[in-house]
Amino acid sequence: MSTTTRRTQTHATFVIERDYAAPVDRVWAAFADAEVKRQWFGADEATDPEIAEDFRVGGTAINHGTFADGTRSEFRATYTDIVPEERIVYTYDMWLDGVHASTSITTVVLEPSDTGTRLTLTEQGVHLDGVHGPGPDAAAGREHGTRELLEGIAAVLA
C-alpha cells in the first residue's frame, strides 16, 4: 500500500472593483492606519486574535485567529510596493488549521471618482491541497471572502 500523497495546486485570478462614497485619503486610511484596518479586516470575528501591522515596503501584516466554526486562520503578508493614496502591492500566505492553504499576490489601486473613490483589487493566487481543499471552490471562496472584507471597509467609512 502506497503512502504517497497526491499534491494539487490551482491557480486563480480575480478582479474586484468597488466604489466608495469617500475621498481617496479616507479609503487609503482603511489600509494604512492599523486601527482603522482592525475594524474591517476580521479581527472582531475571531477569538484569540493575534494582529500586527507594519505598513511600509518590506513590512508585514499578521492576522491570526480562531473563528466560530473552530477553524484557525493565519494570514501573513509582506508589503512589496506602496505608493501613498494610489497603490498597495503585497504577497500573502494563508494557513487553515496549520495547513498551508495558499500563496497570493494582491494589488490594490485607488482612484478618485465622481462619487468618491474607485478601488480595484486584483489577486493572483495558488490554492494548495489542504484542510478546505484546492481547486475552484477554494478560489471562489477566497474571492467571496475578499468581497466581504471590502464591504467591511464601506461600513467603516459610513
Side-chain angles (χ1 to χ4, degrees), residues 87-127:
R87 181 178 64 221
I88 304 164
V89 180
Y90 58 93
T91 60
Y92 76 93
D93 288 279
M94 289 285 300
W95 289 265
L96 297 172
D97 293 328
V99 177
H100 190 203
S102 65
T103 299
S104 299
I105 181 169
T106 300
T107 304
V108 177
V109 175
L110 302 178
E111 300 172 292
S113 69
D114 292 339
T115 59
T117 302
R118 161 67 52 113
L119 178 148
T120 303
L121 182 146
T122 303
E123 181 166 317
Q124 301 161 289
V126 58
H127 300 270

Side-chain angles (χ1 to χ4, degrees), residues 67-100:
F67 293 93
D69 68 358
T71 301
R72 174 82 178 158
S73 174
E74 298 176 40
F75 168 93
R76 187 174 308 131
T78 300
Y79 295 105
T80 61
D81 184 68
I82 297 174
V83 178
E85 298 188 7
E86 291 182 29
R87 181 178 64 221
I88 304 164
V89 180
Y90 58 93
T91 60
Y92 76 93
D93 288 279
M94 289 285 300
W95 289 265
L96 297 172
D97 293 328
V99 177
H100 190 203

Side-chain angles (χ1 to χ4, degrees), residues 52-67:
E53 184 69 46
D54 182 9
F55 188 74
R56 62 181 175 84
V57 173
T60 59
I62 294 171
N63 195 314
H64 305 311
T66 304
F67 293 93

